[in-house]
């Protein structure tokens, strides 16, 4: 069943939004036409899926998993964009046809740019189906468990879920939605938080309800950061440096350099890789200016987290 709610302040989704599934997750209207194909995507038993709420430490987890499965080959990781090594399953849902047309027009003099825009506009179910069966597929998605293709769980694919402190996620996701023209959020942070908190609880709770499965690993981003050196082996400083936020900011394979080069990223907003740390865990709950400037919202957010997101009561 589809619901078509109003979600103002999003300039790039020009056909509105739909709410999907029993939990009512927000997706661009385009999802209605694509849902069956995503649902019927045939996962393979050796697929690796990273499932997260956006801005929950997804990029770091992707890069770590890819390195561990590819002999800690940082040189190859530097050469090949993460978007190629670890395709984003449903990104094209957010590429409205009018926004795509604008980007193609703006880049009409560059064959490479036009090729890239067409490439990222292809649905993940098409791109991934072309990967040879002999090659392991690494797949990024922000779909909740209830919207994953059923074959993912049926075939016992490896699933890595990462959850992060909700206040840090909300601030980072707010800036991401302002950064990407494909999202085009132009509202204020308080309004964004109201939208955000509805979906976060459901997404994380669905993951927790499945974390008992042997093929599912549920991690908190803050714990992953603490043990990053140990995870990559402290005797390999090259890999630890490669996974640092400081390196991510300048690493063109992970910092969305290609997206920026064709104009998908707004130049007057914060970059794709911002602070990247577990700010609330490291420095207390008063480190994000969006909450510092709105004490009433901070109080409401802390109360909401305490009541709804059990895995973060201690942060």
């Amino acid at each position: 069943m589809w619901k078509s709610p109003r979600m103002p302040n999003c300039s790039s989704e020009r056909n509105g939004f739909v709410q999907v599934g029993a939990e009512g997750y927000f997706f661009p209207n385009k999802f209605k036409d694509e849902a069956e194909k995503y649902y019927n995507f045939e996962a393979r038993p050796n697929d690796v899926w990273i499932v997260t709420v956006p801005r929950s430490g997804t990029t770091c987890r992707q890069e770590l998993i890819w390195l561990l499965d590819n002999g800690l080959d940082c040189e190859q990781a530097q050469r090949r964009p993460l978007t190629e090594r670890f395709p984003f399953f449903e990104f094209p849902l957010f590429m409205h046809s009018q926004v795509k047309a604008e980007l193609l027009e703006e880049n009409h003099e560059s064959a490479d740019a036009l090729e890239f825009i067409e490439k990222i506009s292809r649905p993940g179910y098409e791109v991934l189906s072309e990967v040879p069966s002999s090659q392991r597929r690494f797949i990024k998605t922000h779909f909740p468990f209830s919207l994953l293709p059923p074959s993912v769980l049926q075939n016992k694919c490896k699933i890595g879920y990462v959850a992060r402190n909700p206040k840090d996620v909300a601030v980072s996701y707010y800036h991401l939605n302002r950064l990407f023209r494909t999202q085009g959020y132009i509202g204020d942070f308080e309004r964004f938080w109201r939208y955000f908190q509805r979906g976060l609880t459901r997404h994380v709770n669905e993951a927790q309800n499945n974390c008992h499965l042997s093929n599912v690993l549920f991690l908190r981003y803050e714990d992953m950061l603490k043990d990053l050196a140990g995870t990559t082996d402290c005797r390999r400083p090259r890999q630890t440096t490669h996974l640092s936020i400081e390196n991510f900011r300048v690493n063109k394979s992970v910092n969305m350099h290609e997206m920026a080069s064709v104009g998908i990223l707004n130049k007057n907003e914060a970059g794709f890789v911002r602070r990247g740390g577990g700010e609330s865990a490291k420095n207390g709950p008063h480190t994000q200016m969006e909450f510092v400037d709105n004490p009433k919202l901070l109080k409401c957010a802390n109360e909401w987290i305490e009541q709804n997101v059990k895995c973060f009561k201690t942060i």
Side-chain angles (χ1 to χ4, degrees):
M1 188 174 84
W2 310 107
K3 297 180 182 178
S4 298
R6 293 187 64 195
M7 184 185 275
N9 302 307
C10 289
S11 62
S12 292
E13 185 40 55
R14 300 170 193 186
N15 292 345
F17 290 81
V18 292
Q19 283 184 274
V20 180
E23 299 293 350
Y25 291 101
F26 277 89
F27 281 94
N29 200 277
K30 189 177 181 179
F31 186 87
K32 290 193 294 185
D33 300 324
E34 298 282 342
E36 185 176 354
K37 293 176 181 176
Y38 280 105
Y39 181 87
N40 290 325
F41 174 75
E42 188 59 38
R44 301 171 185 168
N46 67 339
D47 286 345
V48 176
W49 291 70
I50 295 299
V51 181
T52 66
V53 172
R55 310 305 281 176
S56 296
T58 318
T59 302
C60 183
R61 188 62 180 163
Q62 285 177 265
E63 193 73 346
L64 174 58
I65 290 297
W66 190 90
L67 285 173
L68 290 174
D69 203 73
N70 287 272
L72 298 175
D73 189 347
C74 294
E75 287 71 26
Q76 185 183 173
Q78 290 276 153
R79 291 193 305 269
R80 296 178 58 204
L82 186 59
T83 52
E84 175 188 311
R85 293 179 280 123
F86 224 122
F88 184 175
F89 191 47
E90 70 274 14
F91 178 77
L93 289 175
F94 300 92
M95 179 69 86
H96 192 280
S97 59
Q98 292 178 20
V99 175
K100 178 182 175 182
E102 292 167 6
L103 292 167
L104 290 172
E105 174 59 28
E106 292 167 14
N107 292 276
H108 70 275
E109 294 182 351
S110 170
D112 288 343
L114 296 179
E115 181 182 357
F116 176 72
I117 294 167
E118 293 292 350
K119 180 179 177 181
I120 63 172
S121 300
R122 294 188 65 206
Y125 57 77
E126 287 184 3
V127 174
L128 290 158
S129 67
E130 296 170 359
V131 176
S133 58
S134 59
Q135 182 178 329
R136 172 170 253 175
R137 300 185 300 190
F138 297 86
I139 306 167
K140 163 189 170 179
T141 185
H142 296 313
F143 280 156
F145 269 74
S146 60
L147 295 182
L148 291 175
S151 59
V152 175
L153 290 175
Q154 291 167 0
N155 289 331
K156 299 183 187 282
C157 303
K158 293 186 184 301
I159 302 173
Y161 189 92
V162 186
R164 184 184 179 190
N165 180 275
K167 294 192 293 292
D168 291 341
V169 176
V171 171
S172 186
Y173 195 22
Y174 165 70
H175 286 287
L176 181 83
N177 276 274
R178 296 181 65 86
L179 173 66
F180 272 72
R181 283 172 61 183
T182 48
Q183 269 77 344
Y185 184 74
I186 55 176
D188 61 25
F189 177 72
E190 183 168 352
R191 183 184 294 271
F192 182 84
W193 169 263
R194 305 300 178 196
Y195 292 138
F196 166 83
Q197 66 179 9
R198 298 172 197 168
L200 178 81
T201 307
R202 300 187 288 262
H203 203 292
V204 175
N205 287 346
E206 282 191 30
Q208 288 188 298
N209 290 338
N210 285 277
C211 67
H212 65 283
L213 298 174
S214 61
N215 57 311
V216 176
L217 177 62
F218 184 104
L219 286 176
R220 298 200 316 178
Y221 177 60
E222 291 75 11
D223 295 336
M224 186 173 72
L225 284 183
K226 289 177 186 175
D227 196 39
L228 190 57
T231 304
T232 55
D233 186 338
C234 62
R235 293 170 295 176
R236 298 180 182 269
R238 171 73 177 89
Q239 285 73 29
T240 304
T241 300
H242 178 83
L243 290 165
S244 71
I245 294 302
E246 292 75 16
N247 181 62
F248 275 9
R249 288 196 186 99
V250 298
N251 183 350
K252 291 182 179 181
S253 73
V254 300
N255 68 8
M256 296 297 166
H257 169 77
E258 288 180 299
M259 296 277 196
S261 68
V262 299
I264 293 177
L265 308 189
N266 288 312
K267 294 180 180 179
N268 58 340
E269 298 292 340
F272 178 73
V273 181
R274 294 180 64 249
R275 297 166 74 174
E279 303 301 335
S280 295
K282 290 190 299 184
N283 305 317
H286 301 285
T287 58
Q288 302 281 18
M289 288 306 299
E290 288 78 5
F291 286 108
V292 171
D293 293 340
N294 194 336
K296 183 178 178 181
L297 182 63
L298 175 62
K299 181 176 183 295
C300 290
N302 284 336
E303 291 174 352
W304 174 81
I305 292 169
E306 176 68 22
Q307 294 169 8
N308 293 282
V309 193
K310 295 184 172 117
C311 66
F312 283 103
K313 281 188 175 182
T314 58
I315 293 182

